Amino acid sequence: VRLLGCIKEVSDYELVISLPNGFSGFVPVTQISDAYSKMLSKQVAQGELLEDLNSLSDMYSPGTLVRCIVTSVEKSADGRRSIKLSIDPKKVNKGLNASALASGMLLSGFVSSVEDHGYLIDIGVSGTHAFLPRQKAQNYIKAVKKGSDLKIGQNLNCVIVEVKNEGRVVHLSIDRSEVAASLATERQNWTLSNLLPGLVVKARVQKVAPLGIKLSFLSSFTGIVDFMHVDPEKSVNYSPGQVVKACILSVHPTSKVVRLTLRQAFLHPGGSPHQLSNDRMGAVVEESTVKAFYKQFGAIFELDDGTLAFARLKHLSKTRKSLKPGTFKTGCKHKCRIIDYSLMDEMCIVSLKYQIIEARFLQYQDIHTGDVVQGKVFALKPIGMQVKVTDGIRGLVPFLHLADVILKQPEKKYNIGDEVRCRVLECSPAGKKLILTLKKSLVQSKHPVLSNYEDAKPGLITHGFVVCVREFGCIVKFYNDVKGLVPKNELSSEPISCPDKVFHEGQVVKVMVLKCEPEQERLLLSFRLSSKPAPEDKKECTPKKKQEVKYQIGEMVDVKVLKKKDNGLEVSILEDEGNVIALIPTMHLSDFVAHCKLLWHCLQEGDVLPRVMCLSDKGEHIILSRKSAVISAVQEEQVVRSFSEIQPGMLLTGYVRNVMPFGVFVEFPFGVTGLAPKVSMSDKFVTDTKDHFVVGQTVIAKVMSIDEEKQRVLLNLKLSECSSGDSAAESFTLLNQYFKEMKEIRNLLRRRGESSMARGLCELVPGKELQLVVQGVKEDGSALFSGSCVTGFTVTATRYHLGDKNVVPGQKTKALVLHVDALTSKVYVSLREKLLKQ
């Protein structure tokens, strides 16, 4: 289908084209012309910018009429049609050949090269050289004001002035007055296969009907003018036999239907349709009057300013079934909203749908940085998640912003169609670019939104996110790409030697502005939210009572160890200048039972623990947790906040609250508890429940059943039931976390380095080969060893791990470290050849 279109928007990679009857299409940058595509390919191949390659915005401006041809129509995932077009003359003028060219013909051409005396023009007709002399281009160049010369790839309306050598050479003109006065005549011998949109013809009215007018033109052609294209000034006055001037809008080669327009703006080639003033877009019109209703298409309305508007059938009511044609009689009044403007129909496109009239956002211009928006998950891509805010507005949540923590498998948390609440990080209406975040701490933040350097006044406290951690400090980003530096000395009130151990990319942080230079876009920040000198009077330093400060469950804080207690560590929260006291119970220091006691022994008063989560704020103390599995579950929203949210089959992460002879009570974040009866505790047969679980142990539980009356939840703790599918990946993640914590404990011991024991423990890592001497063999077949590298430790190999060796006291042997129990100073080793070889 060949169509006349009007450029609506120009971007780097495409032209958005307004088409007749309210449709839109787009021309990719590769469908402009051959000469332009060759230059693009050359630029890509060379990898550097070509001087004479102009961008689309240098050559095209909104409001210009262009001839196009439909290359494909695709349906997108949400059912919307996407019309792909080309304005390449080889495709648009495909029906023309050299012998068909005649003087006076109007057609599309593209500048293919700039010569001394004029321009070579590509008119898409093979075997024809088209030349445009400079003097025939001068008044066009002055009027367009796009530089002193025509540019390669520029689209022109050309009139053939002279045809030589049977069409092998043609001379053209783009003089504005010559183009505007051009008329297609019978003498030019147009045929249905080469008839071009944009041609102006003299036509005779054959028939006038409610849906439009039938015309005859160029002696043998007939065409249709639909109701949107009759001249609004003369809508009543047409009668059969009348001669009118019309412009061809579209030519359908297979159905042989030609559509035309009688609107004045199209009757002088090179002209431009009327544009809509910017403030009208999105406006709600309280009373619009029905001018005409067409049961298959929609309705025409007159708006409050006298202009005409069109509403498609689907925009007249919520659903097709709820449409009442009786309410659209001529003269009826309706409330509507302007949702678009069709340049090709010189009409506003309106909607009567309640949800569109009431919508907060209609176009990208309505969205501001920092706005909280509701959307639906549209697609998950490697770079992030696409979110549909409204029909015409889509945004991207970059991978880093899918949650407060980095999600390894976002598809497990989000499904297509899920409702999500995001915050706008950046919005650029010109490029239709919308960047969103799903980080809860940013979405729920009550602090001011920092979206430009001018607003960064010293002392301002706000939320940002870490984008880079280096030896010299952290770079923190805010909204609209505003970013600043937190130097190393401002990272904490305690010195931090390795910032990358404490902070990570994507982490949400609370910062204070120290200094800003808006012109240089330089911003200096601090994580120390109070730089006030310590008060002289000691009494003022007493810790605040817990009631004065409220912490949300799931909130992340940095803490400093104040005191070791039998049941855990008493800590102060650094964000509140150390004035709020909290407790980390021993069993909440790690997900791994063995590490909890070890960490309690290793940590000293004054140590700083980053990223600890608030678990409860009810009792006398705020209770905190360092269990990474529990923290991940809260941050990835894999939790239930109340009894009513629990569903059978759910997998929830929690910790053992109590071990009874009949089963295990498990508590989850936000205080919900459940019972795993003895039969559902383990895949092995359970004789004594205490042999299988200890209080505080991290567990993953599957919900079996719920008793709403008694508010009881029954759980299953069998490993075979509690895997989410990829058990190998889960096991590796846990192992990885275990070794990471083990390394952390070794570093703590190394730093302390008090005893030779502590030093020895740092050296004895699983997999290390030792030279040992056999001390003795026990009754159960296990053996004891000694050696200079294991002084102070009890070293054992079980009968299995002796392999097929018969050991005798005093014998020297090689052994491999399997496990070190630091609290009991026991080292387990293996003498098996298979392991030693590895």
Side-chain angles (χ1 to χ4, degrees), residues 538-570:
K538 282 278 180 251
K539 279 179 207 163
E540 286 182 38
C541 286
T542 53
K544 290 181 196 171
K545 287 195 178 72
K546 186 215 137 225
Q547 284 74 11
E548 293 173 30
V549 186
K550 275 284 173 212
Y551 280 91
Q552 300 289 323
I553 295 175
E555 196 168 331
M556 302 303 291
V557 292
D558 297 346
V559 298
K560 180 177 168 182
V561 179
L562 293 178
K563 190 157 77 181
K564 282 185 171 187
K565 293 186 156 187
D566 294 344
N567 62 341
L569 301 175
E570 190 175 88

Side-chain angles (χ1 to χ4, degrees), residues 41-78:
S41 306
K42 189 176 168 190
Q43 177 165 294
V44 172
Q46 289 184 0
E48 54 187 64
L49 296 173
L50 294 182
E51 237 176 74
D52 48 354
L53 179 67
N54 293 286
S55 69
L56 292 182
S57 52
D58 286 339
M59 301 187 294
Y60 295 97
S61 36
T64 310
L65 290 172
V66 287
R67 292 176 185 80
C68 6
I69 188 162
V70 178
T71 57
S72 70
V73 179
E74 288 158 20
K75 239 184 180 180
S76 60
D78 57 351

Side-chain angles (χ1 to χ4, degrees), residues 66-111:
V66 287
R67 292 176 185 80
C68 6
I69 188 162
V70 178
T71 57
S72 70
V73 179
E74 288 158 20
K75 239 184 180 180
S76 60
D78 57 351
R80 306 183 87 184
R81 278 202 181 95
S82 161
I83 304 172
K84 212 169 174 180
L85 305 164
S86 173
I87 53 174
D88 187 341
K90 277 196 171 52
K91 291 180 179 162
V92 177
N93 299 340
K94 193 178 167 189
L96 284 169
N97 54 30
S99 59
L101 299 176
S103 64
M105 273 188 170
L106 176 77
L107 33 90
S108 292
F110 281 79
V111 180

Side-chain angles (χ1 to χ4, degrees), residues 273-283 303 305 307-308 338-343 346-349:
H274 296 296
Q275 307 242 10
L276 179 74
S277 66
N278 286 339
D279 57 336
R280 287 292 279 171
M281 185 56 100
L303 303 182
D305 59 357
T307 57
L308 293 182
I338 299 172
I339 57 170
D340 199 358
Y341 181 71
S342 172
L343 286 158
E346 298 184 308
M347 269 192 202
C348 292
I349 306 292

Side-chain angles (χ1 to χ4, degrees), residues 760-831:
L761 204 78
C762 294
E763 304 307 320
L764 293 170
V765 291
K768 184 171 181 171
E769 199 174 280
L770 306 175
Q771 291 290 344
L772 300 173
V773 178
V774 181
Q775 286 291 96
V777 181
K778 291 183 173 176
E779 283 174 18
D780 61 2
S782 61
L784 293 172
F785 301 85
S786 65
S788 57
C789 51
V790 288
T791 314
F793 288 97
T794 309
V795 185
T796 315
T798 59
R799 187 171 168 182
Y800 171 79
H801 279 290
L802 290 173
D804 48 11
K805 290 180 185 164
N806 292 317
V807 293
V808 289
Q811 181 185 336
K812 286 186 177 179
T813 182
K814 277 184 186 175
L816 197 79
V817 177
L818 290 175
H819 175 66
V820 181
D821 187 335
L823 291 170
T824 56
S825 304
K826 283 184 179 170
V827 180
Y828 296 91
V829 296
S830 176
L831 275 66

Side-chain angles (χ1 to χ4, degrees), residues 27 31 60 93 101 164 328 359 365 421 452 548 557 570 674 719 806:
V27 178
Q31 291 291 337
Y60 295 97
N93 299 340
L101 299 176
K164 292 180 178 177
F328 294 102
Q365 283 85 341
R421 193 160 172 261
N452 58 58
E548 293 173 30
V557 292
E570 190 175 88
L719 282 177
N806 292 317

Side-chain angles (χ1 to χ4, degrees), residues 14-29:
E14 65 181 29
L15 303 174
V16 178
I17 307 286
S18 164
L19 299 173
N21 303 108
F23 290 103
S24 275
F26 70 96
V27 178
V29 71

